[in-house]
Amino acid sequence: EDKTICIPCYLDSERDLENITYNELKKNNINLSREIINLIIEKSNQDRENLKNELEKVKSFSYNKKNIELDQIKSLINFSGEYKSDNLINQCLCGNILQFKKILSELYSSTINQIFLLRILSNKIQRLLKMKESEKNYNNIDNLINSSKPSIFWKEKPIIKKQLSIWSYNDLKEIVYEINSIEMTCKKNPEISQIIAFKFFNELCKKASSYS
């Protein structure tokens, strides 16, 4: 079309977010462990604005402090809304229907953004796909998980292991296409976007349950 333009919008890569983080920390003379940096980047959900907001908190907190511990960062950055959202997606991909419905009932009446949930799902699927691509290079799933970069927190390892055992590479690729389609449908129908998104998550959870 002569009067139509298309502007591609891509999520930041892990490398992009790492560069932003290291540059900001270096500029402010802040030293953080690799584990803390990974945590901050992970909780940004590949959104540089989220990342910058959390880094601003770190800068303020680090004033006149030589060392910052992981537990301090955990209490500092925003886990409140994210925890339930992240847990919802994990329970969905693991096929834990009862837990999924419990968390869903708590989120359904809230002001949670459906696109935000789809982005969390997309990030997790992309991570699983990346691991599936490397699976043939390892003797077992445990070695694969332990060798993953960035490192997976120990509390998440059993969840990742279950998800890898449930979903095949082709299933995960199909979910990527479905996410894109659902996101577009939600944006075209904002008045019913919550219903559309949660119906999709519900079907995904049922599918995972039938596989597990």
Side-chain angles (χ1 to χ4, degrees), residues 26-211:
K26 183 178 180 181
K27 186 170 65 178
N28 291 274
N29 295 317
I30 300 172
N31 293 316
L32 297 179
S33 70
R34 179 68 192 184
E35 186 178 15
I36 291 176
I37 291 173
N38 287 343
L39 176 65
I40 294 172
I41 292 173
E42 180 185 352
K43 292 306 173 183
S44 72
N45 287 304
Q46 286 188 289
D47 186 320
R48 66 171 60 195
E49 289 306 314
N50 288 341
L51 178 63
K52 288 178 179 178
N53 288 337
E54 300 306 336
L55 287 173
E56 283 299 319
K57 295 179 188 177
V58 172
K59 285 193 287 184
S60 298
F61 182 77
S62 65
Y63 186 71
N64 285 337
K65 285 185 174 65
K66 290 185 177 180
N67 297 311
I68 303 177
E69 303 297 331
L70 179 62
D71 288 340
Q72 292 175 310
I73 292 295
K74 285 182 177 180
S75 64
L76 184 66
I77 63 178
N78 183 20
F79 281 95
S80 55
E82 268 181 49
Y83 175 75
K84 285 185 180 179
S85 301
D86 192 80
N87 197 20
L88 173 76
I89 302 304
N90 273 332
Q91 298 302 332
C92 175
L93 291 175
C94 288
N96 297 330
I97 295 177
L98 292 178
Q99 283 298 315
F100 169 77
K101 287 185 175 180
K102 181 178 182 296
I103 302 169
L104 186 62
S105 65
E106 296 171 359
L107 285 175
Y108 195 83
S109 58
S110 70
T111 57
I112 192 71
N113 187 307
Q114 288 73 49
I115 304 303
F116 175 68
L117 289 176
L118 289 169
R119 293 287 168 82
I120 294 176
L121 174 63
S122 179
N123 291 342
K124 289 184 180 296
I125 296 299
Q126 293 296 341
R127 178 170 64 175
L128 292 174
L129 272 171
K130 185 177 178 181
M131 296 177 73
K132 280 288 185 181
E133 290 170 354
S134 305
E135 194 171 17
K136 61 180 179 296
N137 299 323
Y138 296 90
N139 296 328
N140 54 59
I141 292 181
D142 290 322
N143 288 338
L144 171 63
I145 292 173
N146 290 333
S147 302
S148 293
K149 301 295 180 183
S151 300
I152 297 172
F153 295 114
W154 66 270
K155 284 186 178 180
E156 252 199 308
K157 288 183 178 181
I159 296 171
I160 299 296
K161 184 176 182 178
K162 184 172 183 179
Q163 290 169 356
L164 285 170
S165 66
I166 289 174
W167 300 100
S168 69
Y169 180 84
N170 290 335
D171 286 329
L172 294 170
K173 291 291 287 185
E174 186 178 338
I175 293 173
V176 171
Y177 295 121
E178 289 176 346
I179 291 171
N180 293 334
S181 176
I182 291 295
E183 181 172 343
M184 185 176 295
T185 304
C186 286
K187 288 178 177 178
K188 288 181 177 180
N189 303 274
E191 68 283 355
I192 56 171
S193 61
Q194 197 174 62
I195 295 172
I196 294 169
F198 286 148
K199 183 172 184 273
F200 169 62
F201 293 131
N202 190 54
E203 290 172 352
L204 206 59
C205 185
K206 286 182 180 178
K207 190 172 183 179
S209 179
S210 68
Y211 286 171

